[in-house]
Amino acid sequence: MNILLIGSGGREHALARSLSASALCQRLFIAPGNPGTARHGANVTLDVTDHRAVIDFCRVMAIGFVVVGPEAPLVAGLVDDLTAAGIKAFGPSKAAAQLEGSKAFTKDLCAECGIPTAAYRRFTDAEAAKTYIRNYGVPTVVKADGLAAGKGVVVAMSFEEAEAAIDMMIGGGLGAAGAEVVIEAFLEGEEASFFALCDGAKAIPFGTAQDHKRVFDGDEGPNTGGMGAYSPAAVLTPELQARVMHEIIEPTLKGMAARGTPYKGILYAGLMLTKDGPKLIEYNARLGDPETQVLLPRLTSDLVEALLAACDGKLDTVSLTWSDKAALTVVMAANGYPGAVEKGSEIRGLDKAGALDDVIVFHAGTKQDADRIVANGGRVLNVTGLGRTITEAQAKAYEAVSQVDWPEGFCRRDIGWRALERERG
Ligand code: AMP
Ligand code: GLY
Protein backbone atom coordinates (compact mmCIF):
# COMPACT_ATOMS: atom_id res chain seq x y z
CA MET A 1 0.00 0.00 0.00
CA ASN A 2 0.97 3.63 -0.33
CA ILE A 3 1.66 5.38 2.99
CA LEU A 4 1.63 9.06 3.96
CA LEU A 5 3.68 10.08 7.01
CA ILE A 6 2.95 13.45 8.63
CA GLY A 7 5.80 15.41 10.26
CA SER A 8 9.29 16.75 9.66
CA GLY A 9 11.61 15.95 12.58
CA GLY A 10 14.09 13.30 13.63
CA ARG A 11 11.20 11.15 14.85
CA GLU A 12 9.76 11.22 11.34
CA HIS A 13 13.11 10.32 9.77
CA ALA A 14 13.21 7.27 12.05
CA LEU A 15 9.57 6.44 11.21
CA ALA A 16 10.21 6.87 7.46
CA ARG A 17 13.20 4.52 7.66
CA SER A 18 11.18 1.78 9.38
CA LEU A 19 7.96 2.23 7.38
CA SER A 20 9.81 2.09 4.06
CA ALA A 21 11.57 -1.12 5.14
CA SER A 22 8.22 -2.93 5.38
CA ALA A 23 7.18 -5.36 2.67
CA LEU A 24 3.70 -3.82 2.98
CA CYS A 25 4.92 -0.36 1.93
CA GLN A 26 4.82 0.42 -1.78
CA ARG A 27 5.28 4.18 -2.03
CA LEU A 28 6.02 6.36 0.99
CA PHE A 29 5.23 10.09 1.05
CA ILE A 30 6.25 12.42 3.86
CA ALA A 31 4.56 15.78 4.48
CA PRO A 32 6.56 17.93 4.78
CA GLY A 33 9.53 15.70 5.67
CA ASN A 34 13.22 16.69 5.69
CA PRO A 35 16.38 15.74 3.75
CA GLY A 36 16.64 12.55 5.84
CA THR A 37 13.12 11.35 5.10
CA ALA A 38 13.73 12.08 1.40
CA ARG A 39 16.06 9.06 1.33
CA HIS A 40 13.17 6.76 2.20
CA GLY A 41 10.32 8.28 0.22
CA ALA A 42 9.04 11.41 -1.47
CA ASN A 43 8.68 14.61 0.52
CA VAL A 44 5.53 16.53 -0.37
CA THR A 45 4.46 20.08 0.37
CA LEU A 46 1.08 19.88 2.08
CA ASP A 47 -0.53 22.18 4.62
CA VAL A 48 -1.35 19.55 7.26
CA THR A 49 -3.64 21.97 9.11
CA ASP A 50 -5.84 21.88 5.98
CA HIS A 51 -7.47 18.48 6.50
CA ARG A 52 -9.39 18.72 3.22
CA ALA A 53 -6.08 19.14 1.35
CA VAL A 54 -4.64 16.08 3.12
CA ILE A 55 -7.72 14.03 2.22
CA ASP A 56 -7.54 15.17 -1.41
CA PHE A 57 -3.85 14.22 -1.58
CA CYS A 58 -4.65 10.77 -0.17
CA ARG A 59 -7.33 10.23 -2.81
CA VAL A 60 -5.10 11.35 -5.70
CA MET A 61 -2.10 9.28 -4.59
CA ALA A 62 -4.18 6.24 -3.51
CA ILE A 63 -2.85 6.40 0.05
CA GLY A 64 -3.97 3.35 2.05
CA PHE A 65 -2.56 4.38 5.41
CA VAL A 66 -1.63 7.67 7.08
CA VAL A 67 0.79 7.74 10.05
CA VAL A 68 0.77 10.93 12.13
CA GLY A 69 4.04 11.75 13.91
CA PRO A 70 3.54 14.93 15.99
CA GLU A 71 0.86 15.85 18.53
CA ALA A 72 -0.56 19.02 17.00
CA PRO A 73 -2.39 17.33 14.08
CA LEU A 74 -3.71 14.65 16.48
CA VAL A 75 -5.11 17.24 18.89
CA ALA A 76 -6.55 19.08 15.87
CA GLY A 77 -8.51 15.96 14.86
CA LEU A 78 -6.69 14.96 11.67
CA VAL A 79 -7.23 11.25 12.38
CA ASP A 80 -10.98 11.82 12.89
CA ASP A 81 -11.31 13.64 9.57
CA LEU A 82 -9.27 11.06 7.64
CA THR A 83 -11.25 8.21 9.20
CA ALA A 84 -14.55 9.92 8.35
CA ALA A 85 -13.31 10.19 4.74
CA GLY A 86 -12.65 6.43 4.70
CA ILE A 87 -8.86 6.71 4.93
CA LYS A 88 -7.11 4.54 7.49
CA ALA A 89 -4.98 6.63 9.86
CA PHE A 90 -2.72 5.76 12.78
CA GLY A 91 -2.98 7.82 15.95
CA PRO A 92 -5.64 8.74 18.50
CA SER A 93 -8.82 10.65 17.73
CA LYS A 94 -9.09 14.26 18.85
CA ALA A 95 -11.03 13.17 21.94
CA ALA A 96 -8.47 10.49 22.84
CA ALA A 97 -5.52 12.83 22.18
CA GLN A 98 -6.80 14.85 25.16
CA LEU A 99 -4.50 12.57 27.16
CA GLU A 100 -1.72 14.81 25.85
CA GLY A 101 -3.74 17.92 25.00
CA SER A 102 -5.15 18.52 28.48
CA LYS A 103 -3.29 17.82 31.71
CA ALA A 104 -6.51 18.41 33.69
CA PHE A 105 -8.32 15.78 31.59
CA THR A 106 -5.57 13.23 32.28
CA LYS A 107 -5.42 13.98 36.00
CA ASP A 108 -9.21 13.56 36.29
CA LEU A 109 -9.02 10.25 34.41
CA CYS A 110 -6.25 9.08 36.78
CA ALA A 111 -8.36 10.02 39.80
CA GLU A 112 -11.41 8.23 38.36
CA CYS A 113 -9.52 5.06 37.45
CA GLY A 114 -7.16 4.84 40.44
CA ILE A 115 -4.02 5.39 38.35
CA PRO A 116 -0.99 6.33 40.50
CA THR A 117 0.01 9.96 39.87
CA ALA A 118 0.85 13.08 41.93
CA ALA A 119 -2.03 14.53 43.99
CA TYR A 120 -3.45 17.62 42.23
CA ARG A 121 -6.01 20.43 42.08
CA ARG A 122 -7.26 22.40 39.05
CA PHE A 123 -7.53 26.22 39.06
CA THR A 124 -8.70 28.98 36.73
CA ASP A 125 -8.39 31.65 39.45
CA ALA A 126 -4.87 32.83 40.25
CA GLU A 127 -5.63 33.90 43.83
CA ALA A 128 -7.27 30.56 44.66
CA ALA A 129 -4.26 28.74 43.23
CA LYS A 130 -1.85 30.82 45.33
CA THR A 131 -3.85 30.28 48.52
CA TYR A 132 -3.77 26.54 47.86
CA ILE A 133 0.03 26.58 47.46
CA ARG A 134 0.45 28.67 50.67
CA ASN A 135 -1.51 25.98 52.52
CA TYR A 136 0.25 22.99 51.01
CA GLY A 137 3.81 24.28 50.72
CA VAL A 138 6.71 23.94 48.30
CA PRO A 139 8.29 22.36 46.31
CA THR A 140 5.27 22.13 44.07
CA VAL A 141 4.61 21.83 40.36
CA VAL A 142 2.56 24.29 38.31
CA LYS A 143 1.34 23.09 34.91
CA ALA A 144 -0.58 24.79 32.14
CA ASP A 145 -3.54 22.63 31.13
CA GLY A 146 -2.96 22.81 27.36
CA LEU A 147 -0.14 22.22 24.88
CA ALA A 148 2.65 24.74 25.53
CA ALA A 149 5.58 23.41 23.49
CA GLY A 150 7.60 22.37 26.56
CA LYS A 151 7.08 25.67 28.43
CA GLY A 152 4.01 24.65 30.38
CA VAL A 153 5.61 23.01 33.45
CA VAL A 154 7.32 24.86 36.30
CA VAL A 155 8.82 22.86 39.16
CA ALA A 156 8.76 25.57 41.85
CA MET A 157 11.12 25.36 44.81
CA SER A 158 9.80 28.58 46.41
CA PHE A 159 6.44 30.34 46.84
CA GLU A 160 7.75 33.21 44.72
CA GLU A 161 8.54 30.90 41.80
CA ALA A 162 5.17 29.17 42.10
CA GLU A 163 3.28 32.46 42.22
CA ALA A 164 5.19 33.87 39.25
CA ALA A 165 4.32 30.73 37.25
CA ILE A 166 0.65 31.00 38.17
CA ASP A 167 0.56 34.69 37.20
CA MET A 168 2.36 34.02 33.92
CA MET A 169 0.08 31.12 32.93
CA ILE A 170 -3.32 32.37 34.08
CA GLY A 171 -2.28 35.88 32.97
CA GLY A 172 -2.12 34.64 29.38
CA GLY A 173 1.66 34.17 28.97
CA LEU A 174 1.04 30.84 27.20
CA GLY A 175 -2.14 31.90 25.44
CA ALA A 176 -5.23 29.74 25.92
CA ALA A 177 -3.06 26.79 27.06
CA GLY A 178 -2.56 28.44 30.48
CA ALA A 179 -6.09 29.66 31.19
CA GLU A 180 -6.41 26.70 33.53
CA VAL A 181 -3.54 25.35 35.64
CA VAL A 182 -2.98 22.10 37.46
CA ILE A 183 -1.06 22.33 40.73
CA GLU A 184 0.43 19.03 41.75
CA ALA A 185 2.55 17.45 44.42
CA PHE A 186 6.30 17.25 43.79
CA LEU A 187 7.39 13.66 43.16
CA GLU A 188 10.86 12.34 43.92
CA GLY A 189 12.58 9.58 42.01
CA GLU A 190 14.19 8.68 38.71
CA GLU A 191 12.33 9.49 35.50
CA ALA A 192 11.83 6.99 32.69
CA SER A 193 9.63 6.65 29.63
CA PHE A 194 7.42 3.69 28.77
CA PHE A 195 5.74 3.24 25.40
CA ALA A 196 2.68 1.13 24.61
CA LEU A 197 1.01 0.37 21.29
CA CYS A 198 -2.77 0.47 21.79
CA ASP A 199 -5.73 -0.68 19.69
CA GLY A 200 -8.57 0.76 21.75
CA ALA A 201 -8.95 -2.29 23.99
CA LYS A 202 -5.56 -3.93 24.21
CA ALA A 203 -2.05 -2.58 24.71
CA ILE A 204 1.35 -4.15 24.12
CA PRO A 205 4.66 -2.74 25.41
CA PHE A 206 6.58 -0.78 22.76
CA GLY A 207 9.88 -0.25 24.56
CA THR A 208 11.46 1.89 27.24
CA ALA A 209 13.82 4.88 27.14
CA GLN A 210 15.37 7.63 29.21
CA ASP A 211 16.23 11.07 27.95
CA HIS A 212 18.20 14.17 28.95
CA LYS A 213 16.12 17.34 28.92
CA ARG A 214 18.72 19.88 30.14
CA VAL A 215 20.93 21.52 27.54
CA PHE A 216 24.35 21.14 29.24
CA ASP A 217 26.49 18.27 30.56
CA GLY A 218 25.65 17.12 34.06
CA ASP A 219 21.95 17.86 33.39
CA GLU A 220 22.50 21.60 33.89
CA GLY A 221 20.99 24.62 32.18
CA PRO A 222 17.57 25.27 30.68
CA ASN A 223 15.11 22.59 29.60
CA THR A 224 15.02 21.54 25.94
CA GLY A 225 12.98 19.18 23.80
CA GLY A 226 15.64 16.55 24.64
CA MET A 227 19.41 16.45 24.07
CA GLY A 228 19.72 12.69 23.81
CA ALA A 229 18.11 9.39 24.76
CA TYR A 230 18.79 5.71 25.08
CA SER A 231 16.86 2.47 25.01
CA PRO A 232 16.26 0.19 26.80
CA ALA A 233 16.05 1.89 30.21
CA ALA A 234 17.38 -0.80 32.54
CA VAL A 235 15.86 1.01 35.52
CA LEU A 236 12.47 -0.19 34.21
CA THR A 237 12.96 -3.82 35.15
CA PRO A 238 10.57 -6.44 33.74
CA GLU A 239 8.74 -6.36 37.10
CA LEU A 240 8.33 -2.58 36.96
CA GLN A 241 7.19 -2.75 33.33
CA ALA A 242 4.52 -5.27 34.29
CA ARG A 243 3.35 -2.89 37.06
CA VAL A 244 3.23 0.01 34.60
CA MET A 245 1.07 -2.07 32.24
CA HIS A 246 -1.30 -3.24 35.00
CA GLU A 247 -1.47 -0.10 37.15
CA ILE A 248 -1.22 2.66 34.55
CA ILE A 249 -1.65 1.68 30.86
CA GLU A 250 -4.46 -0.90 31.13
CA PRO A 251 -6.69 1.19 33.46
CA THR A 252 -6.19 4.15 31.11
CA LEU A 253 -7.40 2.11 28.12
CA LYS A 254 -10.37 0.84 30.13
CA GLY A 255 -11.26 4.35 31.28
CA MET A 256 -10.98 5.82 27.79
CA ALA A 257 -13.12 3.03 26.29
CA ALA A 258 -15.73 3.48 29.05
CA ARG A 259 -15.93 7.19 28.16
CA GLY A 260 -16.67 6.25 24.55
CA THR A 261 -13.29 7.57 23.37
CA PRO A 262 -11.14 4.44 22.99
CA TYR A 263 -7.41 5.13 22.71
CA LYS A 264 -5.67 3.89 19.57
CA GLY A 265 -2.08 4.77 18.82
CA ILE A 266 1.12 5.03 20.79
CA LEU A 267 0.67 5.91 24.43
CA TYR A 268 3.90 7.39 25.80
CA ALA A 269 3.95 7.47 29.59
CA GLY A 270 6.40 9.79 31.33
CA LEU A 271 6.99 8.10 34.70
CA MET A 272 8.51 8.94 38.04
CA LEU A 273 9.87 5.83 39.73
CA THR A 274 9.13 6.73 43.34
CA LYS A 275 9.80 4.67 46.45
CA ASP A 276 6.08 3.79 46.36
CA GLY A 277 6.28 2.53 42.78
CA PRO A 278 5.88 4.03 39.32
CA LYS A 279 3.69 7.13 39.05
CA LEU A 280 2.44 8.83 35.90
CA ILE A 281 3.91 12.32 35.32
CA GLU A 282 2.30 12.85 31.95
CA TYR A 283 1.03 11.18 28.82
CA ASN A 284 1.99 11.92 25.25
CA ALA A 285 -0.29 10.70 22.48
CA ARG A 286 2.53 9.84 20.06
CA LEU A 287 6.09 8.61 19.86
CA GLY A 288 8.78 10.73 21.52
CA ASP A 289 11.41 12.81 19.81
CA PRO A 290 14.32 11.83 20.17
CA GLU A 291 13.10 8.58 21.84
CA THR A 292 11.87 7.17 18.51
CA GLN A 293 15.43 7.44 17.20
CA VAL A 294 16.49 4.81 19.77
CA LEU A 295 13.29 2.71 19.82
CA LEU A 296 12.72 2.01 16.13
CA PRO A 297 16.32 1.01 15.26
CA ARG A 298 15.83 -1.81 17.80
CA LEU A 299 12.51 -3.03 16.37
CA THR A 300 13.14 -6.11 14.23
CA SER A 301 9.52 -6.94 13.33
CA ASP A 302 7.41 -5.14 10.72
CA LEU A 303 6.34 -1.64 11.84
CA VAL A 304 3.58 -1.21 9.25
CA GLU A 305 1.97 -4.52 10.21
CA ALA A 306 1.97 -3.52 13.89
CA LEU A 307 0.54 -0.03 13.31
CA LEU A 308 -2.16 -1.39 10.99
CA ALA A 309 -3.17 -4.01 13.56
CA ALA A 310 -3.46 -1.28 16.23
CA CYS A 311 -5.62 0.75 13.88
CA ASP A 312 -7.86 -2.24 13.13
CA GLY A 313 -8.31 -3.26 16.78
CA LYS A 314 -6.38 -6.48 16.13
CA LEU A 315 -3.28 -6.23 18.30
CA ASP A 316 -3.82 -9.79 19.52
CA THR A 317 -2.56 -10.92 16.10
CA VAL A 318 0.78 -9.12 16.53
CA SER A 319 3.95 -9.98 18.38
CA LEU A 320 6.75 -7.46 18.26
CA THR A 321 10.39 -8.54 18.23
CA TRP A 322 13.32 -6.40 19.34
CA SER A 323 17.06 -6.51 18.81
CA ASP A 324 19.24 -7.46 21.78
CA LYS A 325 21.26 -4.36 21.05
CA ALA A 326 20.98 -1.12 22.97
CA ALA A 327 20.69 2.22 21.21
CA LEU A 328 21.78 5.71 22.21
CA THR A 329 21.22 8.94 20.34
CA VAL A 330 23.12 12.21 20.68
CA VAL A 331 21.30 15.37 19.62
CA MET A 332 23.45 17.86 17.73
CA ALA A 333 21.95 21.33 18.11
CA ALA A 334 22.76 24.73 16.63
CA ASN A 335 24.84 27.00 18.89
CA GLY A 336 22.48 29.03 21.08
CA TYR A 337 19.77 26.37 21.38
CA PRO A 338 17.32 26.38 23.22
CA GLY A 339 17.54 30.15 22.66
CA ALA A 340 17.67 31.87 19.29
CA VAL A 341 19.78 30.09 16.64
CA GLU A 342 21.12 30.96 13.23
CA LYS A 343 19.99 28.92 10.28
CA GLY A 344 21.90 28.11 7.13
CA SER A 345 25.32 26.89 8.35
CA GLU A 346 26.71 24.01 6.30
CA ILE A 347 27.07 20.53 7.82
CA ARG A 348 29.81 18.31 6.37
CA GLY A 349 30.87 14.74 7.07
CA LEU A 350 27.37 13.25 7.26
CA ASP A 351 28.17 10.47 4.79
CA LYS A 352 31.34 9.52 6.65
CA ALA A 353 29.47 9.40 9.96
CA GLY A 354 26.55 7.45 8.49
CA ALA A 355 28.86 4.90 6.84
CA LEU A 356 30.10 3.61 10.21
CA ASP A 357 28.74 0.22 11.30
CA ASP A 358 25.95 0.38 13.86
CA VAL A 359 25.39 4.09 13.28
CA ILE A 360 22.36 5.92 11.90
CA VAL A 361 22.42 9.68 11.40
CA PHE A 362 18.86 11.02 11.61
CA HIS A 363 18.02 14.45 10.26
CA ALA A 364 15.85 16.63 12.49
CA GLY A 365 16.25 20.30 11.54
CA THR A 366 18.17 20.26 8.27
CA LYS A 367 17.54 21.60 4.80
CA GLN A 368 18.85 20.66 1.37
CA ASP A 369 20.50 23.68 -0.25
CA ALA A 370 21.62 22.63 -3.75
CA ASP A 371 24.16 19.89 -2.97
CA ARG A 372 24.75 21.01 0.62
CA ILE A 373 22.97 20.09 3.84
CA VAL A 374 22.46 23.14 6.05
CA ALA A 375 21.10 23.68 9.56
CA ASN A 376 17.47 24.74 9.64
CA GLY A 377 16.44 24.76 13.30
CA GLY A 378 17.48 24.22 16.93
CA ARG A 379 17.81 20.46 17.18
CA VAL A 380 19.46 19.57 13.88
CA LEU A 381 20.79 15.98 13.91
CA ASN A 382 20.27 12.85 16.00
CA VAL A 383 23.27 10.57 15.85
CA THR A 384 22.27 7.07 16.94
CA GLY A 385 24.74 4.34 17.86
CA LEU A 386 23.95 0.68 18.54
CA GLY A 387 25.92 -1.75 20.70
CA ARG A 388 25.68 -4.71 23.04
CA THR A 389 25.44 -2.30 25.98
CA ILE A 390 24.53 1.36 26.42
CA THR A 391 28.25 1.92 27.01
CA GLU A 392 29.06 0.50 23.55
CA ALA A 393 26.18 2.32 21.91
CA GLN A 394 27.43 5.58 23.43
CA ALA A 395 30.96 5.00 22.10
CA LYS A 396 29.54 4.36 18.62
CA ALA A 397 27.36 7.47 18.70
CA TYR A 398 30.23 9.75 19.76
CA GLU A 399 32.58 8.14 17.20
CA ALA A 400 30.06 9.18 14.55
CA VAL A 401 29.60 12.64 16.09
CA SER A 402 33.35 13.20 15.72
CA GLN A 403 33.00 12.65 11.95
CA VAL A 404 30.44 15.45 11.64
CA ASP A 405 32.10 18.70 10.63
CA TRP A 406 29.81 21.48 11.86
CA PRO A 407 31.50 24.25 13.88
CA GLU A 408 28.16 26.05 14.31
CA GLY A 409 26.69 23.14 16.29
CA PHE A 410 27.23 21.48 19.67
CA CYS A 411 26.14 18.42 21.63
CA ARG A 412 26.25 17.10 25.18
CA ARG A 413 29.20 14.82 25.87
CA ASP A 414 27.59 12.76 28.63
CA ILE A 415 24.41 11.31 27.12
CA GLY A 416 23.58 8.08 28.94
CA TRP A 417 25.65 8.79 32.07
CA ARG A 418 23.08 7.24 34.40
CA ALA A 419 22.92 4.03 32.36
CA LEU A 420 26.73 3.90 32.10
CA GLU A 421 27.01 4.15 35.89
CA ARG A 422 24.47 1.35 36.22
CA GLU A 423 26.39 -0.84 33.73
CA ARG A 424 29.67 -0.21 35.58
CA GLY A 425 27.82 -1.43 38.69
P1 AMP B 1 5.85 17.14 31.88
O1 AMP B 1 5.78 18.09 30.71
O2 AMP B 1 4.57 16.99 32.63
O3 AMP B 1 6.56 15.85 31.55
O4 AMP B 1 6.87 17.84 32.90
C1 AMP B 1 8.17 18.20 32.50
C2 AMP B 1 9.15 17.79 33.55
O5 AMP B 1 8.80 18.41 34.80
C3 AMP B 1 9.14 16.30 33.85
O6 AMP B 1 9.93 15.60 32.96
C4 AMP B 1 9.67 16.28 35.27
O7 AMP B 1 11.07 16.39 35.28
C5 AMP B 1 9.09 17.53 35.87
N1 AMP B 1 7.85 17.22 36.61
C6 AMP B 1 6.58 17.24 36.12
N2 AMP B 1 5.70 16.90 37.08
C7 AMP B 1 6.40 16.65 38.20
C8 AMP B 1 6.07 16.27 39.53
N3 AMP B 1 4.80 16.09 39.92
N4 AMP B 1 7.06 16.11 40.43
C9 AMP B 1 8.36 16.33 40.08
N5 AMP B 1 8.75 16.70 38.83
C10 AMP B 1 7.79 16.85 37.89
N1 GLY C 1 11.26 13.79 24.19
C1 GLY C 1 10.06 14.28 24.75
C2 GLY C 1 8.90 14.30 23.85
O1 GLY C 1 8.91 13.80 22.75
O2 GLY C 1 7.88 14.83 24.27
Side-chain angles (χ1 to χ4, degrees), residues 11 100 211 213 225-226 268 282 284 286-291 379:
R11 166 183 49 210
E100 173 160 6
D211 72 343
K213 290 210 169 65
Y268 160 1
E282 65 155 2
N284 294 310
R286 51 170 174 85
L287 280 163
D289 191 345
E291 288 83 352
R379 291 191 294 170

Side-chain angles (χ1 to χ4, degrees), residues 61-109:
M61 296 316 241
I63 300 291
F65 193 36
V66 178
V67 177
V68 182
E71 63 275 19
L74 296 169
V75 171
L78 180 59
V79 168
D80 307 60
D81 289 342
L82 286 166
T83 307
I87 300 158
K88 203 171 275 191
F90 179 79
S93 66
K94 179 177 182 161
Q98 287 287 94
L99 282 178
E100 173 160 6
S102 167
K103 303 221 186 261
F105 173 92
T106 300
K107 298 299 284 192
D108 287 353
L109 184 87

Side-chain angles (χ1 to χ4, degrees), residues 383-403:
V383 181
T384 297
L386 294 149
R388 280 174 307 168
T389 58
I390 301 282
T391 308
E392 279 189 20
Q394 189 207 49
K396 267 288 163 197
Y398 281 115
E399 183 189 344
V401 163
S402 73
Q403 298 298 315

